[in-house]
Structure formats: C-alpha cells, structure tokens
Amino acid sequence: MPTCDNPCPLKGKDAVFEHLACVAIRRSIAVASRSLIFPFVLLLPHPASAQRVDDNATLLADDAFGAAIGNERIGLYRGWDVRGFSAVTAGNVRLEGLYIDRPAEFSERLIGNETIRVGISAQNYLFTAPTGIDDFRLRAAGEKSVLSVVAGYGDNGASRLEFDGQIPVADGLSLAGGAGFSRSVYNSGATGNFMSYALRARWTIAPGVEISPFWGRLDTYDRQASPVFVTAGPFLPQLLRRGSYIGPNWTGQRGIATNYGLIGKGRVARDWQVDLGLFRSINELPKNYSLLLRNLTPDNQADRRVISDPLQTADAVSGELRVQRAIREGDRGHLLTFSLRGRDRLTLYGGSASITYPRGDVNAIIDLPEPDFQYGERTREHVRQVTPGLAYELRWKDIGSVGLGVQRALYRKDVAVPGIASTATRDDSWLYNASLAIDLSRGLAVYASASSGLEESGLAPESAANRREVMPAILTQQVDAGVRLLLPARLRLVAGLFDVRKPYFAVDEANIYAEAGRIRHSGIELSLAGAPLPGLNVVAGAVLMATRVSGTLVDQGRIARKPLGVTERLLSLSLNYAPPLVPQLGLGINVVNHGPRLADTQGLLAVPPATLIDANIRYRLKLAGKPALIRLQINNLTDRVDYSVLGNSSLGFNSQRFLTLSFTVDV
C-alpha cells in the first residue's frame, strides 16, 4: 500500500481508508489552493472577520420551528418533517426567497443557513403554501477577505475538512466559495465519503441592482446501503448491532448532486422591484443499492435481499420572475406583485435487479461477491408546470397587515413505463392564499392564514413492491392562526393552531404504494426563544397534534385511522450558555422528545417514545491573532436506542453515542 509523504492525522481500524482519507484531505487543500479564491484570500492584508467561528444554530434561530447553519441543526422541524409532512417533497423549497424545484441536495459549501417558515414567519413570503417553507440562503460574499478552515474527527471514524472563503475582487464585485471532504459513519456502521464544492459571485452592477451566479456540487463515493428491517409481525427488532455493518462491501452508492443558477434583484425605478431566479438542479445516481432484511422474526432470522439500480436521474430546470410595485400612503404601504413560476423536470427511475441470499441471522455479515445484475428498462417521467400569480399586500404601521394571492397552476405530466402505453396527466388548478396580522399592542400581534397548493407526493418507499415510483401531484389545504408576544427578558413567544389536509398514501395488501384516502393533521405549536439571562440563549418548542386518516380503506378496516410514522407529540429544547466571567467558553445542549409513531399501516406496531440528547462545549481563542474555535460535540448523550419508520413494518435505528472534536479558524 502506498504511503503518505507526511504522517496522516487519522487513526482507525481501516488502514486503507486512513491512506485514502489522508490523500483526499491533501487533495482538497491542493484544490483549494489552486482555486480562484483562496490564494488571494491568504495573501491580501484585509482585516479578518469571523465567518465559520460564529456558526451557532441556537444563536441564529428566531423561533423553535427549525434552523440550521454549517453542521448544526436545531428546532422542531426539518425540511422533510413539517407539521408531519415534507416541505421538500411538496416543492416548498425557496432559495433567497425565490421558488426552486430542487431534486438534488444542496452542497454545504453553497448554503449559509436554512430556516423553516410556518405560521406568522411564513406571512412575509409570497404565495405561502401548505406544509411550510424550507428557506435557504446562500453563503455570504462580503466585502472582507476571509478564509475559514474547519477540521473535525469523531470517535466513530467520521472526519471532515472544509474550506469556505470570500474575497472582494473589485468595486461592487465579490466572490465566495469552498471545498470540503467528509467521511460519515451511519447508525448501521455503513460509511460514506463526500466531496463538496461551491462558487458564488455577487455583483452590484448599479445602486440597488445585484446579480449572483452560483454553482455547487456534492459528490458521494462508496456510501454503503444502510439496512432496512421489515418485520414479519407487530414487534420491534431486538439485539441489532449498531455501528457494525452487515451488508456486502460492494454496495457503495455513487451520487452526484449539482445545483447552479442565477439570482438577480434590482430596483428598476422608484417604486418598482424586479427579482429573477433561474436554476438547474441535477441528481444523478450512477450506482445505487438497497439492503432489505425482510420477514424478520423475533429470533433475528430474516430473508436478505440486495437491490441494485441502473443510472437514476432527476433533472429540473426551474425559476421565478417577480415584478413588484410599491405604493406609499403615509403610514400605509401597498405592494402589488406579479409572479411567474415554472419548472421542467425529467426523471428516470426503475429498471432495478436484485439478488436474494439464504435466510439467516440479521447480524451476520453478507460476505459474497457482487453478482452480474441484469437491469431492465427505466421509466421516464416528464413534469412541466407553469404557475402565474397575482398578490396584494397592505402594511399599516402599528395596525397590521393583510395579504391576498391567487395562482393558476398549469400542470402536465407524461409517464412512459416500459411495456405499457404512455400516460398523460393534466391538472389546471386555481390556488389561493390569504393572511392577516393585527398589532394589538407594541409587543402583541395575532395572525391567521389560509392557503392551498398543488404539491408533489414523493416516491414509493424502498420496501414497497413499486419501490421508487413517483406518486402523482395532489391538491392540499391549510389554515392556521395564532399569537406572537414579546415577553420581558428579551423572550419571544409564538403560539399557533394549524389544520392541514391532504390525500394519504399507503401500501395495500399487495404491498403497492398508492393513494389510500385523506389525511388531516391539526394541532398546536409553541415557540419560545430569546436571551432571558446574560450569556444564556434559549430556543424551546412543542407540537401537540391530532392526526386522522379517512377513506374507504379505513372504513373497511384495511388500514388504521392513524398515519404511518407520524408522532403526535414533539418537544425541543436548545440552550447555549456563555458564562459572563468566561465569555470565550460556550456550553450547549439540545434535547428532543417524540411520542409514539405507528410503524405499520394496520396500527398494530408502534415505535415507542424517546428522548435524545446532544451536548457541546465550545472554546473561542485567538490563533496568531485570528479568531478560532475548538468544539466538542457529544451526540446521543444517553446512548438511547430509537427506531425510525421507513415504510410499512420497515424500520431503521439511530446511532450509538459518539463524540466529535472539531477545530475552526477564520483567517
């Protein structure tokens, strides 16, 4: 085996990977040093300002509904779980406030932060849609030269090395970009290697007029297929070995996720604003595998099956043109908006092949060579959608605001399944949204909103007979109302009620995943955020929800009245404390508690409630006069076993307790 020129800082059981990781890290540094950004960042004498050292999701969050920055994430919701639904699947992703159809995951080098918008925080967004908004912001391209370096290593073998920088090039023009390498180790012991890149420019071409082209890419190498456990009855798998991979060593996924585009925003006249976003998002899986442990019995015996896919792709071109006219009348402001959104997505999926191994113990390693998979033809799906819309908003100082919007969604889908005649779907729907906020006093506001949407409904799960099949678009409705109150000690309270209604998808007796009825999620959500004491930041939230499925299959007793995999109770608490006497020290803790979740469509199996705790210690210092940070992260502090619901009687599980140590410096 070849050796590195210098001693490799990574230690572990896998000497081969140590060498490869070492080479990858050194190549990352070499790529960064040869890029357009980093040599200048290192040489220019501009004073440094903190970039990654200040990453702290608890300090970023205005409420408890979900926030992420860098490698940190807190709050009640994620993009794939908002009020029990997926905002990402529904198509409610925004980039710099503009609509984007995004099948490919964003590179962390491209995105500065992410925020989940629901309730009153979503009212500032045009054409609010059911399931909330997953709002992404690009990394800053500011007027100071900064290079941030983050290096981390975990006791489970995970590691990362990241470079993020920005540099002014000329008056009104600045660049930002980054490169990173990481190795992830998952709960099942599966591993994956990732390279991430991004480049962004910000060009102010005239006062109030700015354009931002960007490009980001995330490469996945050898990400092993995590096992999915499908039980033979209403019981939870026991005695599963977390952190010990049982699959074949050749099930490494290769993935390429690319996002690029152009954002332009400008005031073209005194009262006129024009915003434009043009995007392309491409997700390619040249190699993809699934590992299913089916008919799992209490004695830990199961049928073992590996599914292999040919090239799977999803390629979407999308964007939004927005023209706004602002009118001022003393304390009143009127905003008229015309919006034109569009997308064109081509998806290729299916054609998979599989191999079934002899029934055996689920903890036994499958150590057999890869067979010669014979793939079939793939299904081709083409979706086109154009959505023009008009909106009006009134803002009245110290009184409140009113928003009204209407859209016409023109939806077309053509599906070509091998061996079956092509089908075409047409859906032209009127969509609406309305919002109201009233300022009852200086620190008290009440709000209400209603909206409808035409949303995508995702893919059939890995354990279904029609695995990865794209489901049809659906019409959805949502209403919510609540109160926002500014409390003493710099605390902000948001309390709201919501009601969301959509079609429901589940598997039938033949294990075919399809529309099975209607679903309703209604409940209360609470958020408390602020800094009640010097040095102490608090972000606390709760969701208490009632869920109900209705329809013929429910009436016939074929599926349960509760949905699969949704908890009706979710609690979240994030604390960050910097002692006034030692302000460079930071102590953080994140606690999440969820209630039980149904794990099969019959309602016979449930995942028990669980409380998961993460903790971190930060210490800020100066390194050659530059801001630096040492951070120790402890995940799953109590080593609690928690199951995830992946489909009907299909389960995964979380990682055991592990520690990660990272070092960040801004130069």
Side-chain angles (χ1 to χ4, degrees), residues 25 108 116 126 204 234 309 355 438 474 624 651:
I25 289 174
E108 287 186 356
I116 303 300
L126 285 171
T204 302
D309 298 308
I355 181 171
I438 302 175
I474 55 176
L651 301 166

Side-chain angles (χ1 to χ4, degrees), residues 205-250:
I205 59 177
V209 181
E210 179 180 293
I211 60 172
S212 294
F214 67 88
W215 170 86
R217 173 165 162 156
L218 176 64
D219 280 276
T220 302
Y221 300 93
D222 298 323
R223 180 177 178 177
Q224 295 170 313
S226 292
V228 176
F229 300 91
V230 185
T231 62
F235 62 89
L236 293 173
Q238 301 295 324
L239 302 176
L240 299 177
R241 293 193 299 176
R242 293 186 296 174
S244 180
Y245 189 59
I246 62 174
N249 58 15
W250 42 262

Side-chain angles (χ1 to χ4, degrees), residues 602-614:
Q602 296 296 315
L604 303 176
L605 175 63
V607 171
T611 299
L612 303 175
I613 303 174
D614 299 335

Side-chain angles (χ1 to χ4, degrees), residues 14 17 72 91 125 146 148 199 224 234 242 290 396 433 494 517 532:
D14 191 344
F17 177 73
E72 301 181 42
Y125 285 72
V146 185
S148 296
L199 185 62
Q224 295 170 313
R242 293 186 296 174
S290 298
W396 198 334
N433 67 279
V494 178

